[in-house]
Amino acid sequence: MDATCERMIMTLSKTNGYVTAIDIAAKLGVSEKTVYRKVRLINDSLGIDVIHSERGRGYRINYDQYLAATNKKTHNDIVDYSPVERRNKVLLSILFSAPFSISVDKLYGHYYVSNDLIQQDLSILSKLLKNYAVRLSRKGNKISVVGDEEAIRRSINMALVQSNLMSVDSPQGFASEVADINVYDNQFLTAQIEWIQRSLDLTIPYPYNVNIFSHLYILIKRFRTGKVIEDDKAKKAFANEAKTIENNPEFFAVASDVIKNTSDYLHTSLPEIEKGYLLQYLISMRYDHDVTFNGMVSDEVMRLVNLYIQGFNLTESDPRVQSLKQDLIGHVKPMLNRLENHIIVANRLLNDIKLEYGSLFETVKGISERASQIMTNKAAISDDESGFITLYFAKYFEESRPAKKALIMCASGVGTSKLLHAKVHQAFPNLRIVGTLSIESYQDNEEDYQDVDLIITTVNIHPINQTRVVLSSAMFTQADRKSVESALYGS
């Protein structure tokens, strides 16, 4: 484990309670995203969840478990990578080299793991690759993969997502996470993104900017490291793109230019199908901006949207549900194109969504699994896609929730209450603050505030109707904010 992991463990070990990701990030001087990633790294490395999370409360370490787990580990079993990270790095090395084989010694030489762990890794990777129509092959000390080029690229995409390399919001973020992108490749790939934007007179939005950048990176890496064979299946696939090309001449012209640029950069002739692959990314990007439907929505899109709506037992005649339905149509239409063309979209907010909207996400995921079974010629709907859909429902339910009423008070005078009012309103703009007063004023007129949901006060009181009370400092710290959040929405 690295220094950040060790500092995180020490931070958590100093308290018996929960610490929020925001507080951990502030203490360590890192981002919240780094906190989530390091927690996974620590737990994966030790083979047990010594750091536990609870929605609305944050993280807590079981220090006794941590000590027991670390005592069982040897230095050889845990260096800088968790088992998941190690397997993904090994998998990428094998896939990029396909169909050439690599020796086990070369793959695992710097990981210092036992033969038993190597066998376990390869068994897990073999099962994983079967989902992508790629087979892991071992002959003596040599490892390789068997499968067509399209399946190999899908597997590479999957491995990049599993490695969290796609969970960034810009091409440069992706480049900074991938160790083997040299300065020349980075400059070339960045130039191609800029070429596309200039040619189409648009800005490529997230996540398509990262997807196109990574697609071209995979293309360059495959032709440098492995042996790309244009089989009959690929030639037939490109022949079937004739109608798509005809309907998207401008996009195809740009895709052709970029593939020609890449051919010149690699000093090799790239197959025609590469234009088709890139074209699908550009078309998917266009679909995401095509929000005016003019009533022209396919039966498959409507079937899936209705499945999600019905999965929550919503009344379709409700105007707000109709608005939600239009939002879902706008997402599902490009999503189906992505699934049909095996374009993987990483959702960098997925961990936050699972933490903040856990039960909602699980419901959406269950509906997505049913949807995947009724779709034709499509990949299964991933957790990343389900996470995006969850946000639409989260917005709907958040807006449906009636505004809660709060009362703010302090011991004497209203100066402190006014300060507290401003800070609470900034943190909870949807909270209806019905009064700002001193505790004496409240006690004289307590019957006027029987219907408030919450009292936020700098001094402890005991309302006659058992209204929820949150003690707060006048400065309304992060801890105070968490207490109000818990009181309002539960935890």
Side-chain angles (χ1 to χ4, degrees):
M1 286 182 284
D2 58 26
T4 302
C5 290
E6 293 172 357
R7 288 168 57 212
M8 182 181 296
I9 290 168
M10 292 304 297
T11 298
L12 290 172
S13 67
K14 292 178 181 178
T15 177
N16 292 324
Y18 285 85
V19 184
T20 68
I22 294 174
D23 288 344
I24 296 172
K27 289 176 182 176
L28 301 183
V30 299
S31 66
E32 289 181 64
K33 175 184 170 184
T34 298
V35 171
Y36 304 140
R37 186 162 61 88
K38 295 302 182 181
V39 168
R40 289 198 303 273
L41 172 59
I42 292 167
N43 287 338
D44 287 344
S45 297
L46 298 174
I48 184 174
D49 288 350
V50 298
I51 298 178
H52 305 277
S53 65
E54 186 171 325
R55 181 185 173 191
R57 301 181 72 185
Y59 295 100
R60 177 175 63 84
I61 190 170
N62 186 321
Y63 200 63
D64 290 339
Q65 272 189 339
Y66 166 72
L67 292 176
T70 51
N71 285 336
K72 291 178 182 178
K73 292 283 181 178
T74 65
H75 178 71
N76 288 342
D77 286 327
I78 172 172
V79 185
D80 290 323
Y81 302 106
S82 72
V84 173
E85 289 177 319
R86 180 184 67 240
R87 285 193 291 269
N88 274 311
K89 289 180 179 293
V90 167
L91 180 58
L92 284 170
S93 295
I94 298 171
L95 288 167
F96 275 125
S97 301
F100 301 125
S101 60
I102 308 179
S103 71
V104 173
D105 294 339
K106 184 175 181 179
L107 285 170
Y108 282 93
H110 63 286
Y111 291 112
Y112 305 103
V113 294
S114 65
N115 287 328
D116 287 342
L117 273 179
I118 292 174
Q119 293 301 322
Q120 182 179 332
D121 276 5
L122 295 178
S123 176
I124 292 172
L125 294 179
S126 181
K127 293 176 182 177
L128 184 65
L129 287 172
K130 286 180 180 178
N131 297 324
Y132 296 88
V134 175
R135 179 170 58 85
L136 194 68
S137 173
R138 180 170 185 174
K139 295 181 180 179
N141 196 42
K142 299 285 188 178
I143 305 292
S144 63
V145 294
V146 179
D148 62 49
E149 182 62 25
E150 186 176 356
I152 289 171
R153 302 243 189 130
R154 285 202 301 271
S155 300
I156 292 172
N157 255 317
M158 173 271 298
L160 289 175
V161 170
Q162 291 291 330
S163 300
N164 291 318
L165 295 176
M166 301 288 284
S167 299
V168 293
D169 57 8
S170 69
Q172 288 311 305
F174 176 85
S176 67
E177 293 283 339
V178 181
D180 64 352
I181 294 185
N182 61 47
V183 62
Y184 302 108
D185 288 349
N186 190 7
Q187 289 174 352
F188 172 77
L189 293 171
T190 300
Q192 300 318 298
I193 296 295
E194 292 171 352
W195 179 293
I196 294 171
Q197 293 183 144
R198 285 198 308 272
S199 300
L200 298 176
D201 191 25
L202 52 75
T203 299
I204 304 174
Y206 170 84
Y208 295 101
N209 53 356
V210 177
N211 278 333
I212 293 172
F213 191 94
S214 66
H215 172 77
L216 293 174
Y217 158 72
I218 292 170
L219 170 62
I220 289 174
K221 180 89 170 173
R222 281 290 293 132
F223 274 87
R224 278 194 187 139
T225 311
K227 182 180 181 182
V228 180
I229 301 173
E230 186 181 15
D231 56 20
D232 292 337
K233 179 182 176 183
K235 292 178 180 178
K236 184 178 179 180
F238 185 69
N240 291 335
E241 293 285 332
K243 188 66 176 176
T244 303
I245 293 170
E246 181 183 341
N247 292 336
N248 300 275
E250 184 180 13
F251 281 69
F252 182 68
V254 173
S256 299
D257 287 343
V258 172
I259 296 305
K260 182 182 182 302
N261 294 342
T262 308
S263 294
D264 294 342
Y265 182 70
L266 292 172
H267 303 292
T268 189
S269 178
L270 297 177
E272 289 289 299
I273 187 62
E274 298 298 342
K275 301 175 184 177
Y277 291 149
L278 182 55
L279 175 63
Q280 290 302 339
Y281 280 92
L282 299 180
I283 291 174
S284 290
M285 176 185 68
R286 185 202 70 192
Y287 280 167
D288 247 4
H289 286 277
D290 183 16
V291 294
T292 304
F293 302 107
N294 299 320
M296 300 299 292
V297 181
S298 73
D299 291 341
E300 188 170 29
V301 169
M302 289 308 304
R303 188 161 61 249
L304 260 63
V305 169
N306 288 333
L307 189 66
Y308 284 106
I309 295 291
Q310 293 161 8
F312 283 92
N313 297 314
L314 301 181
T315 303
E316 293 194 38
S317 59
D318 185 332
R320 293 189 61 257
V321 175
Q322 287 297 313
S323 177
L324 169 64
K325 198 169 186 177
Q326 289 303 309
D327 288 342
L328 290 174
I329 289 172
H331 182 85
V332 169
K333 184 178 180 182
M335 182 186 78
L336 289 180
N337 182 77
R338 291 194 294 269
L339 297 176
E340 184 174 358
N341 293 286
H342 301 281
I343 295 174
I344 298 174
V345 175
N347 186 342
R348 69 181 187 274
L349 298 175
L350 185 58
N351 287 324
D352 293 333
I353 292 168
K354 288 180 178 179
L355 189 62
E356 187 67 24
Y357 303 110
S359 59
L360 194 61
F361 171 78
E362 289 301 324
T363 301
V364 171
K365 181 180 177 180
I367 299 171
S368 294
E369 289 171 354
R370 297 200 298 275
S372 296
Q373 295 172 359
I374 66 174
M375 292 188 305
T376 56
N377 301 318
K378 305 286 193 306
I381 300 173
S382 66
D383 282 3
D384 294 272
E385 295 282 10
S386 291
F388 285 124
I389 294 171
T390 298
L391 291 177
Y392 293 106
F393 283 98
K395 174 177 175 287
Y396 169 81
F397 287 116
E398 290 284 357
E399 291 176 346
S400 300
R401 179 186 291 166
K404 293 198 174 184
K405 293 184 286 186
L407 185 66
I408 292 178
M409 69 178 71
C410 63
S412 61
V414 295
T416 304
S417 296
K418 291 289 187 182
L419 174 62
L420 187 55
H421 178 287
K423 288 182 172 291
V424 170
H425 178 69
Q426 182 179 22
F428 299 93
N430 294 326
L431 181 63
R432 183 182 168 195
I433 301 175
V434 299
T436 304
L437 67 169
S438 69
I439 189 170
E440 183 179 357
S441 296
Y442 170 74
Q443 290 172 337
D444 290 342
N445 302 280
E446 189 168 358
E447 66 279 359
D448 294 339
Y449 302 102
Q450 296 292 307
D451 61 342
V452 297
D453 300 290
L454 183 68
I455 297 175
I456 305 171
T457 174
T458 59
V459 63
N460 201 7
I461 61 168
H462 301 283
I464 58 176
N465 65 341
Q466 304 300 310
T467 302
R468 188 81 178 264
V469 174
V470 172
L471 277 173
S472 170
S473 69
M475 300 308 296
F476 200 60
T477 65
Q478 188 66 42
D480 296 328
R481 175 174 175 167
K482 281 294 180 183
S483 295
V484 170
E485 190 174 87
S486 177
L488 287 172
Y489 309 124
S491 61

